[in-house]
Amino acid sequence: MKKCFISLLLLLPLQCLAWGSKGHATVADIAWQFLTPEARQQVDMLLKSYPFESLQQAANWPDHIRKQDEFKHTGNWHYVNLPRDAKYYLASRDCAQGCVVKAFNLMLQQLSNAADIKKRAEALAFVIHFVGDMHQPLHVSYADDKGGNSYPLIFKGETVNLHYYWDTLVLSEDPDDAALASSLIREMPDAQIVDWREDDAQVWIDESRQITAQIYANAPDKVTDIMLQQDRQLAHQRLIKAGVRLAFQLNQTLKLHSIAKAHSSQ
């Protein structure tokens, strides 16, 4: 049964599932610790309005609703495909039909400007999720193998695919999201917070592009213990960066919403 299940995973369209539930929840956990009190208040209000039971649930919600008729158009919002020889992300070339970068900016605007509180709550969930997506290297990858979804890889004697490995298996030795987030925050130098928070989506995408290029250059066919530990460390770096950057984006966007609302009531 286990072999059948993992073989099925090789066939699933996993390019839209990013870090898996643990990874996305970890990004949300980290971000929460760096939100301002005002931003936390707005986030709590938006979560309750939808309702979402938690920030972690909201972080994973975009993956769960993408097959619903109302949200089928969001399928290509979770990733961006680049040419294999690309040295940078180019919107006119890589996002003409929509991609995670365009969707992220759209949802930031919706979170800041929408009058409908439920639309703002949906935008919050998408923003949280897309920041995680952009930091998962295989979500900035190549169309010809579906972002590593068609790339077979041996993991502990079983055949999986490269994308699923980076989505989920690379974090398989870690504790739950809350414990992982706490551990990553404790290990992070304070100076990094300032360095990372100023970066924008173009930087995040380029970081993931470079990591993906190196993954393919190494051309792995089997995950060794050394490879798993190295990739796990890299995944941890991507998660902590995503959480810090998400917090900065939410602090800025929700502050702008509060300012705009105050002006409109005068």
Side-chain angles (χ1 to χ4, degrees):
M1 174 65 79
K2 181 179 178 183
K3 289 185 177 180
C4 290
F5 174 71
I6 294 180
S7 295
L8 178 60
L9 290 174
L10 184 60
L11 303 177
L12 291 176
L14 291 170
Q15 190 167 14
C16 297
L17 298 183
W19 285 113
S21 58
K22 183 191 290 186
H24 278 297
T26 301
V27 171
D29 288 328
I30 293 167
W32 179 259
Q33 299 304 316
F34 295 99
L35 292 180
T36 64
E38 295 77 13
R40 285 189 179 189
Q41 186 176 25
Q42 283 202 59
V43 166
D44 274 337
M45 179 268 295
L46 291 170
L47 293 174
K48 292 173 182 176
S49 73
Y50 202 72
F52 291 116
E53 294 180 0
S54 67
L55 193 64
Q56 295 74 22
Q57 182 195 23
N60 282 287
W61 175 79
D63 276 340
H64 298 307
I65 51 83
R66 57 178 295 271
K67 290 188 180 296
Q68 297 177 15
D69 289 343
E70 183 181 358
F71 296 102
K72 281 184 178 179
H73 65 284
T74 68
N76 65 348
W77 285 12
H78 296 251
Y79 59 90
V80 58
N81 289 321
L82 278 63
R84 284 191 179 255
D85 60 350
K87 302 301 183 185
Y88 50 84
Y89 161 78
L90 181 63
S92 60
R93 177 192 65 201
D94 306 321
C95 201
Q97 303 301 317
C99 71
V100 66
V101 182
K102 184 176 182 179
F104 170 69
N105 290 326
L106 177 66
M107 289 298 104
L108 273 182
Q109 293 175 8
Q110 185 170 308
L111 177 59
S112 179
N113 301 327
D116 185 335
I117 191 170
K118 289 198 171 184
K119 288 295 183 183
R120 292 190 65 225
E122 289 178 0
L124 172 65
F126 277 118
V127 166
I128 296 168
H129 189 88
F130 292 155
V131 173
D133 281 351
M134 284 186 278
H135 284 78
Q136 205 277 51
L138 271 294
H139 276 247
V140 183
S141 53
Y142 316 119
D144 56 17
D145 72 351
K146 301 178 182 178
N149 195 41
S150 300
Y151 186 128
L153 190 67
I154 303 299
F155 179 82
K156 296 186 177 180
E158 303 287 354
T159 300
V160 294
N161 66 67
L162 184 63
H163 194 107
Y164 181 65
Y165 167 69
W166 272 97
D167 273 349
T168 302
L169 298 179
V170 75
L171 300 177
S172 60
E173 295 184 359
D174 286 306
D176 64 28
D177 59 276
L180 177 56
S182 296
S183 174
L184 295 178
I185 291 171
R186 284 196 305 270
E187 296 169 2
M188 180 183 63
D190 291 341
Q192 294 287 2
I193 299 174
V194 177
D195 292 340
W196 292 340
R197 70 182 184 181
E198 300 295 340
D199 297 331
D200 60 19
Q202 183 78 39
V203 173
W204 315 340
I205 288 292
D206 193 58
E207 289 173 349
S208 287
R209 177 195 63 78
Q210 293 181 61
I211 295 169
T212 296
Q214 188 59 55
I215 290 170
Y216 278 85
N218 293 337
D221 57 10
K222 179 181 180 181
V223 179
T224 64
D225 290 341
I226 293 175
M227 175 181 166
L228 177 59
Q229 293 311 312
Q230 290 174 339
D231 291 345
R232 184 177 171 226
Q233 281 190 329
L234 182 54
H236 288 175
Q237 292 172 13
R238 300 305 286 161
L239 291 172
I240 189 69
K241 279 187 174 183
V244 170
R245 289 162 167 171
L246 171 60
F248 180 72
Q249 292 290 328
L250 292 178
N251 286 337
Q252 293 294 103
T253 301
L254 295 173
K255 182 179 180 180
L256 289 173
H257 175 80
S258 295
I259 292 172
K261 186 175 180 182
H263 281 301
S264 65
S265 63
Q266 290 177 354

